[in-house]
Amino acid sequence: MEIICAALCGFVLDLLLGDPAWMPHPVVLMGRCITLLERGLRAVFPKTPRGERAAGGVLAAVLPLGTLGLTWGLLRLCRGVHPALAFALEVLWCWQALAVHGLAAEGRNIHRALVSGTLEEARRAVARVVGRDTESLSAPGVVRAAVETVAENFADGVAAPLVYMLLGGAPLALCCKAVNTMDSMVGYKNERYLHFGRRAAKLDDAVNFVPARLAALLLAAAAGLTGEDAGGARRMWRRDRFCHASPNSAQTESVMAGALGIQLGGPASYFGQMHDKPAIGDARREAEPADILRANRMLYAASVLCISLLCALRALVFFPLGGLRL
């Protein structure tokens, strides 16, 4: 029951407050640790493909396991002082593991720049949340990049943390965030990270395999609840869910493309190099700024469905076992 209450409290806090700028965030600390570990590991291991893969493997093991051990240990210490202190810390970490508010807010910023600002402002706004080069994106290109981000990050930043949160509390959710953060920093197929980031990218694929598929089904349900094309969402998911180099990204992107009736994916530039990615969905019409707000509505609906479903499953599975806590 404690995990369910902590998850629900954290979810509500994220919806209401997001990530206040004044509050230290675990992901920032994870990012600094990744930078330091990368620097140290590259200095120790041979500068060969095999050496880089070994160094990346150490990083892929140390950061998630270190995150899990540290957070679990701190919760144990707090519980020894007072259960209320441990619960408050778990609520805080559950809150910080989620990204519904922040993701939707970034989408609104991009929409505002497209509608009331300039294309250059919109490109800068979308550059905050995507890894691709944005300097030459057209207005529809900015919209597509924003919608893809909402779809993909619903799986990575909402569904996956909630799945692990309801399995093992905040420590497991933050372990999941550590894996996602590693992938976002070193999981690139460029000259610097092709070998070093391979283990982190594979681990991220494995950790998000089930949550991505759950997220796709929930987004399809959310399409119906928000007045979008639920049938189109299901059709595109069945057809295009593997149209991506990642086994997970197109799961939610295909649903979003089908629900909105636009085409996502396609060629994109990363670090000045063009990548010929397959298209996802059918271009029944051109993407427009309002699609970002439609994607946000689906995000909110799917997020509520996700935590409701997972809390119900947690209660059904664990309560008969005497409230077993992982």
Side-chain angles (χ1 to χ4, degrees), residues 107 110 126 130 141-153 252-253 256-257 260 262 264 287-296:
I110 298 166
V126 80
V130 300
V142 169
V143 172
R144 288 193 296 271
V147 170
E148 287 174 24
T149 296
V150 171
E152 184 174 358
N153 282 280
T252 48
E253 289 182 22
M256 191 69 79
L260 299 180
I262 61 176
L264 302 176
E288 59 185 20
D291 288 321
I292 300 174
L293 302 183
R294 295 181 184 113
N296 273 1

Side-chain angles (χ1 to χ4, degrees), residues 40-284:
L41 290 167
R42 285 186 182 276
V44 171
F45 282 83
K47 294 177 175 57
T48 63
R50 184 176 180 179
E52 289 189 2
R53 286 194 295 271
V58 173
L59 172 64
V62 167
L63 187 75
L65 292 177
T67 300
L68 183 63
L70 178 63
T71 52
W72 183 83
L74 287 173
L75 278 178
R76 290 276 298 196
L77 287 174
C78 290
R79 192 166 286 110
V81 176
H82 197 283
L85 180 61
F87 180 74
L89 181 60
E90 185 141 34
V91 168
L92 172 65
W93 283 340
C94 287
W95 170 16
Q96 293 181 316
L98 298 171
V100 183
H101 183 285
L103 185 55
E106 293 290 354
R108 288 192 297 271
N109 289 338
I110 298 166
H111 175 266
R112 189 179 306 113
L114 285 167
V115 172
S116 305
T118 65
L119 179 57
E120 186 57 38
E121 289 172 345
R123 288 168 175 165
R124 287 197 297 269
V126 80
R128 289 167 48 89
V129 293
V130 300
R132 74 189 64 182
D133 302 327
T134 63
E135 296 84 359
S136 60
L137 287 180
S138 63
V142 169
V143 172
R144 288 193 296 271
V147 170
E148 287 174 24
T149 296
V150 171
E152 184 174 358
N153 282 280
F154 169 63
D156 295 348
V158 182
L162 282 174
V163 166
Y164 291 104
M165 192 183 298
L166 270 299
L167 278 174
L172 203 56
L174 289 179
C175 180
C176 169
K177 294 295 288 187
V179 173
N180 293 158
T181 305
M182 272 195 310
D183 182 61
S184 69
M185 291 183 66
V186 305
Y188 294 100
K189 292 182 178 180
N190 56 23
E191 184 177 354
R192 179 177 178 83
Y193 291 118
L194 179 63
H195 300 289
F196 184 84
R198 182 174 298 178
R199 296 288 186 269
K202 293 294 184 184
L203 181 60
D204 184 74
D205 288 343
V207 166
N208 287 291
F209 188 87
V210 171
R213 284 145 184 82
L214 173 64
L217 297 176
L218 293 171
L219 274 179
L225 292 174
T226 57
E228 305 303 333
D229 186 356
R234 291 190 295 270
R235 285 193 300 274
M236 285 304 110
W237 177 73
R238 287 192 295 267
R239 194 190 79 181
D240 290 351
R241 66 185 185 274
F242 297 119
C243 290
H244 202 287
S246 163
N248 300 327
S249 295
Q251 297 287 330
T252 48
E253 289 182 22
S254 60
V255 170
M256 191 69 79
L260 299 180
I262 61 176
Q263 192 172 76
L264 302 176
S269 175
Y270 294 86
F271 304 104
Q273 184 176 357
M274 187 61 69
H275 293 259
D276 189 19
K277 299 165 63 177
I280 299 172
D282 294 329
R284 302 206 305 259

